[in-house]
Amino acid sequence: SQKIEQNSEALNIQEGKTATLTCNYTNYSPAYLQWYRQDPGRGPVFLLLIRENEKEKRKERLKVTFDTTLKQSLFHITASQPADSATYLCAVNYGGSQGNLIFGKGTKLSVKP
Amino acid sequence: GAVVSQHPSRVICKSGTSVKIECRSLDFQATTMFWYRQFPKQSLMLMATSNEGSKATYEQGVEKDKFLINHASLTLSTLTVTSAHPEDSSFYICSARESGRAFYEQYFGPGTRLTVT
């Protein structure tokens, strides 16, 4: 069965630096992969989606890459700010095109001023 | 747009009682709604998928008689935890997919923290 691994439980960086978060999947390549932000006691908020035929996607200070050979996605936040501090979740679809998602445990990012 | 609400945001109940959680899509119609559970420092785990007007599809290991799901309209789904026990204490999150939108577009609610004493 598909498993999603976000290897770093926590990541601490200095304001202004680039944060890089990793998401690995173990089985088949998903049709798409999504990244979400989750604040404490809140539901996930969608950030970016990347399809299996896309190498890279950008949105403002966010960049996502998708390497189907490595079975890995990287999520970058450039010029990080303390307001970026949150838990970031990676999710992939399973069950064909039904839209059901498998989530990783997330990486808690702390950006220190 | 695409706002999903949940009510209540927090609930404390006694062991053996039942609790109902509502999930509403406020500005769109949702043919499909999903219910997730999240334990501390764990990933969101899909419990069930509900389509408006039909029975919910439960994930393996989720007791359908314990977690009753009703998706009676295109804007409302409810999750009832029956005969709740302390191990049911968790963060319950719903998401909704808008009718006619891409299958991967889900919008999440803010979650409901359930504590069973």
Side-chain angles (χ1 to χ4, degrees), chain A residues 98-99, chain B residues 28-32 34 95-99 102-105:
Chain A
Q98 298 306 309
Chain B
F28 65 98
Q29 294 188 325
T31 47
T32 305
F34 304 86
S95 71
R97 185 162 68 216
E98 186 175 0
S99 307
F103 63 88
Y104 48 75
E105 291 190 42

Side-chain angles (χ1 to χ4, degrees), chain A residues 32-74:
Chain A
Y32 61 89
L33 186 147
Q34 300 183 36
W35 283 90
Y36 289 81
R37 170 180 173 142
Q38 186 175 26
D39 290 284
R42 307 293 294 174
V45 174
F46 171 76
L47 295 174
L48 277 170
L49 176 148
I50 187 165
R51 292 179 174 79
E52 62 178 336
N53 61 350
E54 297 176 316
K55 291 268 193 269
E56 183 179 297
K57 203 80 167 280
R58 290 176 185 260
K59 179 182 175 182
E60 298 173 354
R61 294 185 295 112
L62 309 180
K63 184 178 86 171
V64 172
T65 62
F66 195 179
D67 188 327
T68 54
T69 302
L70 294 178
K71 295 189 177 182
Q72 182 180 82
S73 174
L74 298 179

Side-chain angles (χ1 to χ4, degrees), chain B residues 15-35:
Chain B
S15 188
T17 61
S18 294
V19 172
K20 181 186 283 188
I21 302 170
E22 292 186 350
C23 175
R24 292 182 186 272
S25 56
L26 297 185
D27 50 2
F28 65 98
Q29 294 188 325
T31 47
T32 305
M33 287 186 169
F34 304 86
W35 286 96

Side-chain angles (χ1 to χ4, degrees), chain B residues 7-61:
Chain B
H7 178 79
S9 57
R10 290 178 177 271
V11 58
I12 301 173
C13 71
K14 292 189 176 179
S15 188
T17 61
S18 294
V19 172
K20 181 186 283 188
I21 302 170
E22 292 186 350
C23 175
R24 292 182 186 272
S25 56
L26 297 185
D27 50 2
F28 65 98
Q29 294 188 325
T31 47
T32 305
M33 287 186 169
F34 304 86
W35 286 96
Y36 294 84
R37 180 166 54 181
Q38 186 179 33
F39 292 105
K41 295 192 176 182
Q42 298 297 312
S43 59
L44 277 77
M45 296 298 294
L46 180 65
M47 299 174 66
T49 302
S50 72
N51 291 294
E52 185 263 338
S54 61
K55 288 184 179 179
T57 302
Y58 290 81
E59 294 298 298
Q60 193 172 11

